[in-house]
Amino acid sequence: MTHRHLRAALAASLCLAACSRATSTASVSGTPKDQGLKDTFRSAFLVGVAIAPKQFEELDVANAALVKREFNTISPENVLKWVIVHPQPDRYDFAPADKYVAFGERNGMFIIGHTLVWHSQVPAWVFQDAQGQPLTRDALLARMKDHIQTVVGRYKGRIKGWDVVNEALNEDGTLRETQWMKIIGPDYIAKAFQFAHEADPAAELYYNDYNLDYAAKRDGAVRLVKSLLDQGIPVKAIGSQEHLKLTTPSAAAVDSSIKAFAALGVHVNMTELDIDLLPPATRNTGADVSLRAGPSPSLNPWAAGLPDSMQTKLARRYQDLFRVYMANKDAIDRVTFWGVSDGDSWLNGWPVPGRTSYPLLFDRQLGKKAAYEAVSEVAKEPRVVP
Ligand code: XIL
Protein backbone atom coordinates (compact mmCIF):
# COMPACT_ATOMS: atom_id res chain seq x y z
CA MET A 1 0.00 0.00 0.00
CA THR A 2 1.37 3.43 -0.86
CA HIS A 3 1.47 6.15 1.73
CA ARG A 4 -1.34 8.00 0.02
CA HIS A 5 -3.56 4.90 -0.04
CA LEU A 6 -2.66 4.09 3.52
CA ARG A 7 -3.61 7.57 4.62
CA ALA A 8 -6.93 7.42 2.82
CA ALA A 9 -7.72 3.98 4.23
CA LEU A 10 -6.76 4.99 7.70
CA ALA A 11 -8.71 8.22 7.53
CA ALA A 12 -11.75 6.20 6.43
CA SER A 13 -11.37 3.62 9.19
CA LEU A 14 -10.70 6.21 11.88
CA CYS A 15 -13.67 8.15 10.58
CA LEU A 16 -16.03 5.26 11.25
CA ALA A 17 -16.10 6.07 14.91
CA ALA A 18 -15.78 9.82 14.75
CA CYS A 19 -17.76 10.74 11.67
CA SER A 20 -20.89 8.80 12.51
CA ARG A 21 -21.22 11.18 15.47
CA ALA A 22 -20.16 14.15 13.43
CA THR A 23 -22.07 17.38 13.24
CA SER A 24 -22.42 19.47 10.12
CA THR A 25 -19.13 21.22 10.90
CA ALA A 26 -17.22 17.96 10.64
CA SER A 27 -16.33 18.10 6.98
CA VAL A 28 -13.41 15.75 6.36
CA SER A 29 -12.43 17.07 2.96
CA GLY A 30 -12.05 20.59 1.68
CA THR A 31 -9.30 21.89 3.96
CA PRO A 32 -7.63 24.70 2.00
CA LYS A 33 -4.12 23.81 0.83
CA ASP A 34 -2.40 26.55 2.82
CA GLN A 35 -4.05 25.60 6.10
CA GLY A 36 -2.13 23.67 8.68
CA LEU A 37 -2.32 22.28 12.17
CA LYS A 38 -2.27 25.84 13.52
CA ASP A 39 -5.58 26.45 11.77
CA THR A 40 -7.04 23.05 12.58
CA PHE A 41 -6.52 23.65 16.31
CA ARG A 42 -6.90 27.44 16.32
CA SER A 43 -9.78 27.46 18.78
CA ALA A 44 -8.03 25.01 21.14
CA PHE A 45 -4.29 25.73 21.50
CA LEU A 46 -1.20 26.87 19.59
CA VAL A 47 0.65 24.19 17.64
CA GLY A 48 4.41 24.47 17.52
CA VAL A 49 7.67 22.92 16.47
CA ALA A 50 11.32 22.96 17.49
CA ILE A 51 13.48 24.39 14.75
CA ALA A 52 17.16 24.63 13.81
CA PRO A 53 19.15 26.81 11.35
CA LYS A 54 17.90 24.60 8.51
CA GLN A 55 14.45 26.08 9.03
CA PHE A 56 15.00 29.54 10.52
CA GLU A 57 17.76 30.48 8.07
CA GLU A 58 15.55 28.96 5.36
CA LEU A 59 18.49 26.80 4.20
CA ASP A 60 15.89 24.18 3.28
CA VAL A 61 13.21 26.25 1.62
CA ALA A 62 10.55 23.52 1.49
CA ASN A 63 11.07 22.63 5.14
CA ALA A 64 10.83 26.29 6.18
CA ALA A 65 7.67 26.70 4.10
CA LEU A 66 6.14 23.72 5.88
CA VAL A 67 6.88 25.33 9.26
CA LYS A 68 5.12 28.53 8.16
CA ARG A 69 2.11 26.62 6.82
CA GLU A 70 1.60 24.35 9.80
CA PHE A 71 2.79 26.04 13.00
CA ASN A 72 2.18 29.27 14.93
CA THR A 73 4.74 28.84 17.73
CA ILE A 74 8.41 27.88 17.58
CA SER A 75 11.01 26.58 20.02
CA PRO A 76 14.78 26.67 19.45
CA GLU A 77 16.05 23.10 19.30
CA ASN A 78 19.55 24.13 20.45
CA VAL A 79 20.54 27.75 19.74
CA LEU A 80 19.46 29.22 23.10
CA LYS A 81 21.12 26.55 25.22
CA TRP A 82 23.97 27.83 27.36
CA VAL A 83 26.75 26.05 25.45
CA ILE A 84 25.69 27.72 22.19
CA VAL A 85 24.63 31.19 23.32
CA HIS A 86 27.30 31.67 26.03
CA PRO A 87 30.22 29.39 25.15
CA GLN A 88 32.90 31.21 27.15
CA PRO A 89 32.82 33.28 30.34
CA ASP A 90 33.09 36.61 28.56
CA ARG A 91 31.59 35.70 25.22
CA TYR A 92 27.97 35.45 24.19
CA ASP A 93 27.13 34.35 20.65
CA PHE A 94 23.72 35.65 19.73
CA ALA A 95 24.04 35.29 15.95
CA PRO A 96 22.03 32.03 15.63
CA ALA A 97 19.43 33.03 18.24
CA ASP A 98 18.91 36.42 16.58
CA LYS A 99 18.06 34.63 13.34
CA TYR A 100 15.71 32.26 15.17
CA VAL A 101 13.83 35.17 16.74
CA ALA A 102 13.74 37.12 13.46
CA PHE A 103 12.17 34.10 11.71
CA GLY A 104 9.45 33.92 14.34
CA GLU A 105 8.76 37.66 14.09
CA ARG A 106 8.64 37.63 10.28
CA ASN A 107 6.02 34.94 10.48
CA GLY A 108 3.97 36.26 13.39
CA MET A 109 4.76 33.28 15.62
CA PHE A 110 4.70 32.93 19.41
CA ILE A 111 8.41 32.61 20.17
CA ILE A 112 9.68 30.36 22.95
CA GLY A 113 13.05 30.45 24.70
CA HIS A 114 14.62 27.12 25.70
CA THR A 115 16.34 26.91 28.15
CA LEU A 116 18.07 29.01 30.84
CA VAL A 117 19.10 26.63 33.64
CA TRP A 118 19.80 22.98 32.83
CA HIS A 119 22.50 20.44 33.68
CA SER A 120 23.02 19.42 30.03
CA GLN A 121 24.51 21.42 27.17
CA VAL A 122 26.11 23.73 29.70
CA PRO A 123 29.92 24.22 29.63
CA ALA A 124 31.99 22.89 32.57
CA TRP A 125 33.47 26.37 33.18
CA VAL A 126 30.09 27.63 34.35
CA PHE A 127 30.60 25.84 37.67
CA GLN A 128 34.32 26.61 38.12
CA ASP A 129 36.50 29.57 38.97
CA ALA A 130 39.52 30.66 36.93
CA GLN A 131 41.63 28.02 38.73
CA GLY A 132 39.19 25.24 37.87
CA GLN A 133 37.90 25.02 41.45
CA PRO A 134 34.14 24.76 42.17
CA LEU A 135 32.48 28.15 42.44
CA THR A 136 30.99 29.34 45.70
CA ARG A 137 27.21 29.63 46.01
CA ASP A 138 27.33 33.41 45.65
CA ALA A 139 29.61 33.29 42.63
CA LEU A 140 27.42 30.75 40.83
CA LEU A 141 24.29 32.75 41.64
CA ALA A 142 25.97 35.86 40.23
CA ARG A 143 26.91 33.96 37.08
CA MET A 144 23.40 32.59 36.69
CA LYS A 145 21.94 36.07 37.15
CA ASP A 146 24.29 37.57 34.56
CA HIS A 147 23.40 34.85 32.05
CA ILE A 148 19.65 35.11 32.56
CA GLN A 149 19.59 38.91 32.54
CA THR A 150 21.75 39.06 29.42
CA VAL A 151 19.86 36.44 27.43
CA VAL A 152 16.29 37.21 28.55
CA GLY A 153 17.05 40.94 28.45
CA ARG A 154 18.25 40.81 24.86
CA TYR A 155 14.94 39.37 23.68
CA LYS A 156 12.69 41.24 26.10
CA GLY A 157 9.20 41.60 24.68
CA ARG A 158 10.09 39.38 21.70
CA ILE A 159 10.57 35.93 23.22
CA LYS A 160 7.20 35.50 24.89
CA GLY A 161 7.85 32.49 27.11
CA TRP A 162 10.89 30.85 28.67
CA ASP A 163 11.64 27.34 29.87
CA VAL A 164 13.44 28.79 32.88
CA VAL A 165 14.53 25.54 34.51
CA ASN A 166 14.73 22.26 32.63
CA GLU A 167 14.75 18.75 34.13
CA ALA A 168 15.40 19.52 37.80
CA LEU A 169 13.67 16.34 38.99
CA ASN A 170 14.70 12.73 39.46
CA GLU A 171 12.33 9.95 38.49
CA ASP A 172 11.20 9.60 42.11
CA GLY A 173 10.23 13.26 42.25
CA THR A 174 13.15 14.44 44.37
CA LEU A 175 15.48 17.18 43.19
CA ARG A 176 18.26 16.05 40.87
CA GLU A 177 21.81 16.48 42.27
CA THR A 178 23.04 18.75 39.50
CA GLN A 179 25.91 21.19 39.87
CA TRP A 180 23.29 23.90 40.32
CA MET A 181 21.79 21.98 43.20
CA LYS A 182 25.12 20.99 44.78
CA ILE A 183 26.64 24.45 44.70
CA ILE A 184 23.62 26.72 45.25
CA GLY A 185 21.14 24.42 46.98
CA PRO A 186 17.45 23.82 46.24
CA ASP A 187 16.63 27.52 46.00
CA TYR A 188 18.53 27.75 42.70
CA ILE A 189 15.19 27.11 41.01
CA ALA A 190 13.36 30.00 42.69
CA LYS A 191 16.36 32.27 42.04
CA ALA A 192 16.37 31.41 38.33
CA PHE A 193 12.68 32.31 38.06
CA GLN A 194 13.22 35.57 39.98
CA PHE A 195 16.08 36.63 37.71
CA ALA A 196 14.04 35.80 34.60
CA HIS A 197 11.03 37.71 35.90
CA GLU A 198 13.16 40.76 36.67
CA ALA A 199 14.69 40.64 33.19
CA ASP A 200 11.31 40.54 31.41
CA PRO A 201 8.30 40.93 33.71
CA ALA A 202 5.89 40.30 30.84
CA ALA A 203 7.43 37.00 29.71
CA GLU A 204 5.69 33.75 30.57
CA LEU A 205 7.88 31.52 32.73
CA TYR A 206 7.77 27.73 32.66
CA TYR A 207 9.14 24.72 34.51
CA ASN A 208 9.92 21.99 31.91
CA ASP A 209 10.67 18.28 32.34
CA TYR A 210 10.26 14.79 30.85
CA ASN A 211 8.44 11.73 32.20
CA LEU A 212 5.87 13.92 33.93
CA ASP A 213 3.17 11.40 33.08
CA TYR A 214 4.61 8.98 35.64
CA ALA A 215 3.10 9.45 39.09
CA ALA A 216 6.17 9.94 41.27
CA LYS A 217 7.76 12.50 39.00
CA ARG A 218 4.42 14.19 38.32
CA ASP A 219 3.91 14.56 42.08
CA GLY A 220 7.42 15.97 42.43
CA ALA A 221 6.61 18.59 39.79
CA VAL A 222 3.38 19.45 41.61
CA ARG A 223 5.31 19.92 44.88
CA LEU A 224 8.03 21.96 43.22
CA VAL A 225 5.70 24.31 41.36
CA LYS A 226 3.39 24.67 44.36
CA SER A 227 6.34 25.76 46.48
CA LEU A 228 7.32 28.32 43.81
CA LEU A 229 3.77 29.66 43.64
CA ASP A 230 3.65 29.82 47.46
CA GLN A 231 6.74 32.04 47.32
CA GLY A 232 4.92 34.37 44.94
CA ILE A 233 6.90 33.29 41.89
CA PRO A 234 4.87 33.72 38.72
CA VAL A 235 5.07 30.28 37.09
CA LYS A 236 2.74 30.47 34.12
CA ALA A 237 2.87 26.84 33.01
CA ILE A 238 4.43 23.45 33.46
CA GLY A 239 6.01 22.15 30.29
CA SER A 240 5.60 18.43 29.84
CA GLN A 241 8.18 17.39 27.27
CA GLU A 242 6.14 14.42 26.02
CA HIS A 243 8.95 12.31 24.60
CA LEU A 244 6.69 9.27 24.52
CA LYS A 245 6.75 5.64 23.38
CA LEU A 246 4.09 3.82 21.40
CA THR A 247 2.24 2.38 24.38
CA THR A 248 3.70 4.17 27.39
CA PRO A 249 2.72 6.23 29.22
CA SER A 250 -1.02 5.57 28.85
CA ALA A 251 -3.31 8.29 27.55
CA ALA A 252 -5.06 8.12 30.94
CA ALA A 253 -1.77 8.95 32.67
CA VAL A 254 -1.23 11.90 30.35
CA ASP A 255 -4.74 13.08 31.22
CA SER A 256 -4.07 12.74 34.98
CA SER A 257 -0.93 14.84 34.81
CA ILE A 258 -2.58 17.64 32.87
CA LYS A 259 -5.38 17.72 35.43
CA ALA A 260 -2.95 17.61 38.38
CA PHE A 261 -1.04 20.60 36.97
CA ALA A 262 -4.16 22.54 36.09
CA ALA A 263 -5.42 22.01 39.66
CA LEU A 264 -2.41 24.05 40.83
CA GLY A 265 -3.73 26.98 38.84
CA VAL A 266 -1.00 26.87 36.20
CA HIS A 267 -1.33 26.15 32.51
CA VAL A 268 0.22 23.20 30.71
CA ASN A 269 2.44 23.18 27.61
CA MET A 270 3.13 19.96 25.75
CA THR A 271 6.62 21.10 24.80
CA GLU A 272 8.64 18.42 22.98
CA LEU A 273 6.18 15.91 21.61
CA ASP A 274 7.45 12.90 19.67
CA ILE A 275 6.66 9.19 19.76
CA ASP A 276 9.56 6.77 19.61
CA LEU A 277 8.61 3.55 17.81
CA LEU A 278 12.07 2.02 17.75
CA PRO A 279 13.12 -0.85 20.04
CA PRO A 280 14.32 0.47 23.40
CA ALA A 281 18.09 0.69 23.51
CA THR A 282 18.28 1.11 27.27
CA ARG A 283 15.99 0.33 30.18
CA ASN A 284 15.56 4.02 30.79
CA THR A 285 12.18 5.44 29.73
CA GLY A 286 13.06 9.10 29.79
CA ALA A 287 14.77 11.65 27.60
CA ASP A 288 18.12 11.97 29.38
CA VAL A 289 20.28 13.45 26.62
CA SER A 290 23.47 11.99 28.14
CA LEU A 291 22.35 8.39 27.51
CA ARG A 292 24.31 6.52 24.84
CA ALA A 293 23.94 3.01 23.45
CA GLY A 294 25.90 1.22 20.75
CA PRO A 295 24.46 0.69 17.26
CA SER A 296 23.12 -2.76 16.38
CA PRO A 297 20.90 -3.86 13.47
CA SER A 298 18.21 -5.16 15.83
CA LEU A 299 17.85 -1.65 17.24
CA ASN A 300 17.25 -0.20 13.78
CA PRO A 301 14.62 -2.48 12.22
CA TRP A 302 13.02 -0.05 9.75
CA ALA A 303 15.99 1.51 7.99
CA ALA A 304 14.32 0.72 4.64
CA GLY A 305 10.88 2.04 5.57
CA LEU A 306 8.16 1.76 8.19
CA PRO A 307 5.64 -1.09 7.74
CA ASP A 308 2.03 0.01 7.24
CA SER A 309 1.04 -1.74 10.46
CA MET A 310 3.39 0.48 12.44
CA GLN A 311 2.26 3.57 10.56
CA THR A 312 -1.28 2.79 11.65
CA LYS A 313 -0.25 2.18 15.26
CA LEU A 314 1.54 5.53 15.34
CA ALA A 315 -1.56 7.26 13.92
CA ARG A 316 -3.81 5.72 16.55
CA ARG A 317 -1.40 6.62 19.35
CA TYR A 318 -1.25 10.23 18.19
CA GLN A 319 -5.02 10.29 17.89
CA ASP A 320 -5.46 9.02 21.45
CA LEU A 321 -3.10 11.71 22.73
CA PHE A 322 -4.77 14.51 20.83
CA ARG A 323 -8.14 13.41 22.19
CA VAL A 324 -6.69 13.92 25.67
CA TYR A 325 -5.23 17.30 24.68
CA MET A 326 -8.53 18.44 23.19
CA ALA A 327 -10.46 17.28 26.25
CA ASN A 328 -8.12 19.46 28.33
CA LYS A 329 -7.80 22.34 25.87
CA ASP A 330 -8.73 24.96 28.44
CA ALA A 331 -5.62 24.05 30.44
CA ILE A 332 -3.27 23.62 27.47
CA ASP A 333 -1.69 26.66 25.83
CA ARG A 334 0.34 24.86 23.18
CA VAL A 335 1.37 21.52 21.77
CA THR A 336 4.89 21.63 20.30
CA PHE A 337 6.55 18.85 18.29
CA TRP A 338 10.28 18.25 18.77
CA GLY A 339 11.33 18.51 15.13
CA VAL A 340 9.59 19.10 11.82
CA SER A 341 9.89 15.84 9.87
CA ASP A 342 11.11 12.35 10.69
CA GLY A 343 14.40 13.22 8.99
CA ASP A 344 14.92 16.15 11.36
CA SER A 345 14.26 14.31 14.62
CA TRP A 346 16.89 14.05 17.34
CA LEU A 347 15.67 10.43 17.78
CA ASN A 348 17.69 9.43 14.68
CA GLY A 349 20.78 10.06 16.80
CA TRP A 350 19.71 9.47 20.40
CA PRO A 351 20.41 7.34 22.34
CA VAL A 352 21.78 5.22 19.46
CA PRO A 353 23.57 7.00 16.61
CA GLY A 354 22.50 6.47 13.01
CA ARG A 355 19.02 5.02 13.40
CA THR A 356 16.01 5.66 11.16
CA SER A 357 13.25 6.96 13.39
CA TYR A 358 9.62 7.79 12.61
CA PRO A 359 8.36 9.85 15.57
CA LEU A 360 6.66 12.86 13.93
CA LEU A 361 3.74 13.78 11.66
CA PHE A 362 5.77 14.47 8.48
CA ASP A 363 7.87 11.90 6.62
CA ARG A 364 11.36 12.35 5.19
CA GLN A 365 9.93 13.84 2.00
CA LEU A 366 7.92 16.30 4.14
CA GLY A 367 4.67 14.50 3.25
CA LYS A 368 1.85 14.21 5.75
CA LYS A 369 1.82 10.81 7.43
CA ALA A 370 -1.30 8.90 8.44
CA ALA A 371 -0.72 10.29 11.91
CA TYR A 372 -1.22 13.82 10.56
CA GLU A 373 -4.67 12.96 9.25
CA ALA A 374 -5.50 11.08 12.45
CA VAL A 375 -4.62 14.09 14.58
CA SER A 376 -6.57 16.48 12.33
CA GLU A 377 -9.64 14.26 12.66
CA VAL A 378 -9.69 14.89 16.40
CA ALA A 379 -10.29 18.61 15.95
CA LYS A 380 -13.45 17.77 14.00
CA GLU A 381 -14.92 15.40 16.56
CA PRO A 382 -17.82 16.75 18.57
CA ARG A 383 -16.70 17.61 22.09
CA VAL A 384 -18.37 16.24 25.14
CA VAL A 385 -19.35 19.31 27.14
CA PRO A 386 -18.72 18.55 30.82
C1 XIL B 1 17.99 17.74 22.18
C2 XIL B 1 18.18 18.24 20.75
O1 XIL B 1 17.05 17.88 20.00
C3 XIL B 1 19.44 17.65 20.17
O2 XIL B 1 19.72 18.24 18.90
C4 XIL B 1 20.62 17.86 21.11
O3 XIL B 1 21.75 17.20 20.60
C5 XIL B 1 20.32 17.37 22.50
O4 XIL B 1 19.14 17.98 22.97
N1 XIL B 1 15.00 17.42 26.30
C6 XIL B 1 15.19 18.75 26.02
C7 XIL B 1 15.73 19.15 24.71
O5 XIL B 1 14.79 19.62 26.82
O6 XIL B 1 16.50 20.32 24.78
C8 XIL B 1 16.54 18.03 24.07
O7 XIL B 1 16.92 18.45 22.76
C9 XIL B 1 15.77 16.74 24.05
C10 XIL B 1 15.41 16.32 25.45
Side-chain angles (χ1 to χ4, degrees):
M1 209 189 264
T2 65
H3 266 174
R4 189 183 302 275
H5 289 129
L6 175 70
R7 277 212 311 274
L10 187 81
S13 76
L14 293 168
C15 202
L16 286 180
C19 299
S20 60
R21 288 179 274 116
T23 64
S24 58
T25 55
S27 154
V28 174
S29 58
T31 307
K33 223 169 81 249
D34 56 345
Q35 294 228 337
L37 295 165
K38 64 180 177 4
D39 308 295
T40 305
F41 291 98
R42 191 169 295 283
S43 64
F45 37 68
L46 300 177
V47 186
V49 67
I51 59 173
K54 177 180 183 177
Q55 290 92 19
F56 62 71
E57 291 185 32
E58 313 212 25
L59 305 174
D60 180 333
V61 173
N63 198 309
L66 186 157
V67 172
K68 296 178 207 174
R69 185 188 74 214
E70 298 287 339
F71 301 102
N72 51 14
T73 173
I74 48 172
S75 298
E77 185 173 5
N78 286 301
V79 294
L80 275 162
K81 292 173 181 173
W82 194 310
V83 70
I84 308 271
V85 78
H86 189 179
Q88 287 161 0
D90 298 319
R91 189 166 73 83
Y92 284 86
D93 181 4
F94 287 115
D98 284 355
K99 291 180 186 154
Y100 160 76
V101 172
F103 176 87
E105 288 182 332
R106 277 202 305 282
N107 296 294
M109 294 163 163
F110 189 84
I111 304 170
I112 300 296
H114 171 87
T115 177
L116 297 168
V117 173
W118 190 23
H119 58 275
S120 293
Q121 294 180 273
V122 55
W125 63 257
V126 171
F127 307 102
Q128 297 166 359
D129 64 18
Q131 287 70 47
Q133 296 304 308
L135 285 186
T136 62
R137 169 184 158 92
D138 286 349
L140 185 55
L141 275 172
R143 187 164 273 173
M144 181 206 265
K145 183 174 184 179
D146 169 75
H147 177 84
I148 291 177
Q149 287 189 336
T150 306
V151 177
V152 175
R154 182 175 182 92
Y155 301 110
K156 184 176 180 181
R158 302 169 69 198
I159 288 186
K160 304 290 187 193
W162 279 97
D163 289 338
V164 178
V165 176
N166 198 32
E167 303 180 355
L169 293 166
N170 292 313
E171 297 307 290
D172 67 0
T174 57
L175 287 182
R176 198 191 271 263
E177 277 291 311
T178 63
Q179 296 280 69
W180 298 109
M181 174 78 170
K182 281 187 196 144
I183 298 174
I184 299 175
D187 64 336
Y188 84 88
I189 299 173
K191 294 282 187 201
F193 276 86
Q194 276 163 8
F195 298 149
H197 186 54
E198 283 161 21
D200 186 354
E204 297 186 352
L205 305 181
Y206 317 125
Y207 176 71
N208 195 57
D209 212 329
Y210 62 80
N211 273 358
L212 293 184
D213 301 313
Y214 294 94
K217 199 163 179 182
R218 175 197 65 210
D219 294 348
V222 166
R223 283 193 300 275
L224 170 62
V225 171
K226 183 169 184 321
S227 94
L228 294 172
L229 294 171
D230 288 347
Q231 295 169 64
I233 291 167
V235 182
K236 171 75 183 196
I238 296 180
S240 182
Q241 289 186 7
E242 301 287 276
H243 293 293
L244 308 179
K245 311 286 182 216
L246 189 57
T247 56
T248 55
S250 68
V254 173
D255 184 64
S256 299
S257 289
I258 296 168
K259 290 189 163 67
F261 300 151
L264 283 171
V266 296
H267 290 216
V268 185
N269 300 324
M270 318 317 284
T271 54
E272 304 185 14
L273 179 58
D274 50 26
I275 298 174
D276 188 4
L277 302 176
L278 296 178
T282 70
R283 286 169 50 200
N284 194 298
T285 55
D288 180 343
V289 295
S290 67
L291 279 182
R292 293 281 175 277
S296 105
S298 66
L299 293 177
N300 191 25
W302 299 306
L306 192 66
D308 290 350
S309 59
M310 290 305 297
Q311 203 75 256
T312 305
K313 282 184 183 162
L314 180 72
R316 290 192 185 279
R317 171 69 161 156
Y318 262 117
Q319 192 167 62
D320 289 346
L321 289 167
F322 268 75
R323 288 202 174 114
V324 171
Y325 301 158
M326 280 301 277
N328 291 284
K329 65 184 171 58
D330 293 346
I332 295 178
D333 287 343
R334 70 181 160 97
V335 177
T336 293
F337 292 86
W338 205 246
V340 178
S341 74
D342 286 343
D344 303 312
S345 172
W346 73 301
L347 293 173
N348 295 303
W350 177 91
V352 180
R355 293 202 291 181
T356 307
S357 196
Y358 299 87
L360 296 166
L361 300 189
F362 297 93
D363 64 27
R364 286 174 167 72
Q365 289 72 44
L366 304 182
K368 296 173 182 172
K369 294 162 64 177
Y372 180 100
E373 312 294 352
V375 156
S376 303
E377 287 283 328
V378 176
K380 297 167 187 152
E381 291 172 1
R383 302 260 75 77
V384 180
V385 181

